[in-house]
PDB file of all heavy atoms in Angstrom:
ATOM      1  N   ALA A 229      -6.222  -6.252 -19.736  1.00 96.00           N
ATOM      2  CA  ALA A 229      -5.193  -6.742 -18.824  1.00 96.00           C
ATOM      3  C   ALA A 229      -3.779  -6.638 -19.396  1.00 96.00           C
ATOM      4  O   ALA A 229      -2.773  -6.574 -18.768  1.00 96.00           O
ATOM      5  CB  ALA A 229      -5.378  -8.166 -18.322  1.00 96.00           C
ATOM      6  N   ASP A 230      -3.703  -6.799 -20.775  1.00 97.00           N
ATOM      7  CA  ASP A 230      -2.501  -6.756 -21.563  1.00 97.00           C
ATOM      8  C   ASP A 230      -1.983  -5.360 -21.692  1.00 97.00           C
ATOM      9  O   ASP A 230      -0.966  -5.040 -22.379  1.00 97.00           O
ATOM     10  CB  ASP A 230      -2.506  -7.415 -22.742  1.00 97.00           C
ATOM     11  CG  ASP A 230      -3.526  -6.971 -23.769  1.00 97.00           C
ATOM     12  OD1 ASP A 230      -4.439  -6.011 -23.304  1.00 97.00           O
ATOM     13  OD2 ASP A 230      -3.697  -7.489 -24.899  1.00 97.00           O
ATOM     14  N   SER A 231      -2.705  -4.297 -21.298  1.00 97.00           N
ATOM     15  CA  SER A 231      -2.285  -2.931 -21.490  1.00 97.00           C
ATOM     16  C   SER A 231      -0.901  -2.638 -20.821  1.00 97.00           C
ATOM     17  O   SER A 231      -0.222  -1.814 -21.390  1.00 97.00           O
ATOM     18  CB  SER A 231      -3.430  -1.983 -21.048  1.00 97.00           C
ATOM     19  OG  SER A 231      -3.668  -2.255 -19.625  1.00 97.00           O
ATOM     20  N   VAL A 232      -0.723  -3.115 -19.664  1.00 96.00           N
ATOM     21  CA  VAL A 232       0.479  -2.735 -18.921  1.00 96.00           C
ATOM     22  C   VAL A 232       1.703  -3.275 -19.659  1.00 96.00           C
ATOM     23  O   VAL A 232       2.643  -2.625 -19.897  1.00 96.00           O
ATOM     24  CB  VAL A 232       0.575  -3.321 -17.487  1.00 96.00           C
ATOM     25  CG1 VAL A 232       1.789  -2.984 -16.780  1.00 96.00           C
ATOM     26  CG2 VAL A 232      -0.698  -2.691 -16.726  1.00 96.00           C
ATOM     27  N   ALA A 233       1.616  -4.520 -20.185  1.00 95.00           N
ATOM     28  CA  ALA A 233       2.731  -5.070 -20.929  1.00 95.00           C
ATOM     29  C   ALA A 233       2.918  -4.237 -22.183  1.00 95.00           C
ATOM     30  O   ALA A 233       4.001  -4.028 -22.702  1.00 95.00           O
ATOM     31  CB  ALA A 233       2.491  -6.592 -21.391  1.00 95.00           C
ATOM     32  N   GLY A 234       1.798  -3.651 -22.814  1.00 98.00           N
ATOM     33  CA  GLY A 234       2.005  -2.864 -23.891  1.00 98.00           C
ATOM     34  C   GLY A 234       2.617  -1.559 -23.729  1.00 98.00           C
ATOM     35  O   GLY A 234       3.266  -0.979 -24.576  1.00 98.00           O
ATOM     36  N   PHE A 235       2.414  -1.039 -22.386  1.00 98.00           N
ATOM     37  CA  PHE A 235       3.160   0.245 -22.099  1.00 98.00           C
ATOM     38  C   PHE A 235       4.677   0.008 -22.190  1.00 98.00           C
ATOM     39  O   PHE A 235       5.425   0.898 -22.649  1.00 98.00           O
ATOM     40  CB  PHE A 235       2.773   0.720 -20.799  1.00 98.00           C
ATOM     41  CG  PHE A 235       1.211   1.027 -20.470  1.00 98.00           C
ATOM     42  CD1 PHE A 235       0.737   0.897 -19.302  1.00 98.00           C
ATOM     43  CD2 PHE A 235       0.550   1.611 -21.575  1.00 98.00           C
ATOM     44  CE1 PHE A 235      -0.707   1.214 -19.083  1.00 98.00           C
ATOM     45  CE2 PHE A 235      -0.711   1.928 -21.431  1.00 98.00           C
ATOM     46  CZ  PHE A 235      -1.426   1.710 -20.202  1.00 98.00           C
ATOM     47  N   LEU A 236       5.113  -1.178 -21.746  1.00 96.00           N
ATOM     48  CA  LEU A 236       6.481  -1.423 -21.625  1.00 96.00           C
ATOM     49  C   LEU A 236       7.172  -1.686 -23.079  1.00 96.00           C
ATOM     50  O   LEU A 236       8.227  -1.297 -23.428  1.00 96.00           O
ATOM     51  CB  LEU A 236       6.797  -2.749 -20.773  1.00 96.00           C
ATOM     52  CG  LEU A 236       7.088  -2.255 -19.332  1.00 96.00           C
ATOM     53  CD1 LEU A 236       5.838  -1.652 -18.644  1.00 96.00           C
ATOM     54  CD2 LEU A 236       7.665  -3.478 -18.552  1.00 96.00           C
ATOM     55  N   SER A 237       6.323  -2.372 -23.884  1.00 96.00           N
ATOM     56  CA  SER A 237       6.842  -2.673 -25.220  1.00 96.00           C
ATOM     57  C   SER A 237       6.674  -1.519 -26.171  1.00 96.00           C
ATOM     58  O   SER A 237       7.282  -1.542 -27.213  1.00 96.00           O
ATOM     59  CB  SER A 237       6.084  -3.954 -25.723  1.00 96.00           C
ATOM     60  OG  SER A 237       4.691  -3.617 -25.983  1.00 96.00           O
ATOM     61  N   GLY A 238       5.843  -0.528 -25.813  1.00 97.00           N
ATOM     62  CA  GLY A 238       5.485   0.573 -26.774  1.00 97.00           C
ATOM     63  C   GLY A 238       4.441   0.345 -27.668  1.00 97.00           C
ATOM     64  O   GLY A 238       4.028   1.220 -28.517  1.00 97.00           O
ATOM     65  N   SER A 239       3.777  -0.863 -27.635  1.00 97.00           N
ATOM     66  CA  SER A 239       2.595  -1.023 -28.470  1.00 97.00           C
ATOM     67  C   SER A 239       1.321  -0.604 -27.929  1.00 97.00           C
ATOM     68  O   SER A 239       0.299  -0.385 -28.672  1.00 97.00           O
ATOM     69  CB  SER A 239       2.365  -2.576 -28.633  1.00 97.00           C
ATOM     70  OG  SER A 239       2.035  -3.219 -27.358  1.00 97.00           O
ATOM     71  N   LYS A 240       1.282  -0.041 -26.716  1.00 98.00           N
ATOM     72  CA  LYS A 240       0.242   0.637 -26.058  1.00 98.00           C
ATOM     73  C   LYS A 240       0.760   1.919 -25.386  1.00 98.00           C
ATOM     74  O   LYS A 240       1.838   1.951 -24.911  1.00 98.00           O
ATOM     75  CB  LYS A 240      -0.308  -0.316 -24.941  1.00 98.00           C
ATOM     76  CG  LYS A 240      -1.660   0.220 -24.501  1.00 98.00           C
ATOM     77  CD  LYS A 240      -2.837  -0.150 -25.513  1.00 98.00           C
ATOM     78  CE  LYS A 240      -4.131   0.321 -24.909  1.00 98.00           C
ATOM     79  NZ  LYS A 240      -5.107   0.253 -26.139  1.00 98.00           N
ATOM     80  N   LYS A 241      -0.094   3.029 -25.468  1.00 98.00           N
ATOM     81  CA  LYS A 241       0.266   4.153 -24.897  1.00 98.00           C
ATOM     82  C   LYS A 241      -0.830   4.630 -23.815  1.00 98.00           C
ATOM     83  O   LYS A 241      -1.997   4.357 -23.973  1.00 98.00           O
ATOM     84  CB  LYS A 241       0.362   5.397 -25.934  1.00 98.00           C
ATOM     85  CG  LYS A 241       1.492   5.083 -26.915  1.00 98.00           C
ATOM     86  CD  LYS A 241       1.620   6.223 -27.911  1.00 98.00           C
ATOM     87  CE  LYS A 241       2.791   6.165 -28.825  1.00 98.00           C
ATOM     88  NZ  LYS A 241       4.080   6.037 -28.087  1.00 98.00           N
ATOM     89  N   TRP A 242      -0.331   5.316 -22.819  1.00 98.00           N
ATOM     90  CA  TRP A 242      -1.353   5.863 -21.779  1.00 98.00           C
ATOM     91  C   TRP A 242      -2.313   6.789 -22.394  1.00 98.00           C
ATOM     92  O   TRP A 242      -3.401   7.080 -21.769  1.00 98.00           O
ATOM     93  CB  TRP A 242      -0.449   6.461 -20.635  1.00 98.00           C
ATOM     94  CG  TRP A 242       0.457   5.575 -19.901  1.00 98.00           C
ATOM     95  CD1 TRP A 242       1.725   5.112 -20.138  1.00 98.00           C
ATOM     96  CD2 TRP A 242       0.037   4.893 -18.599  1.00 98.00           C
ATOM     97  NE1 TRP A 242       2.147   4.241 -19.030  1.00 98.00           N
ATOM     98  CE2 TRP A 242       1.058   4.134 -18.263  1.00 98.00           C
ATOM     99  CE3 TRP A 242      -1.064   4.919 -17.848  1.00 98.00           C
ATOM    100  CZ2 TRP A 242       1.138   3.250 -17.123  1.00 98.00           C
ATOM    101  CZ3 TRP A 242      -1.076   4.050 -16.724  1.00 98.00           C
ATOM    102  CH2 TRP A 242       0.003   3.344 -16.405  1.00 98.00           C
TER     103      TRP A 242
END
Side-chain angles (χ1 to χ4, degrees):
D230 58 354
S231 55
V232 177
F235 297 148
L236 271 69
S237 69
S239 63
K240 192 77 180 167
K241 293 187 180 297
W242 292 89

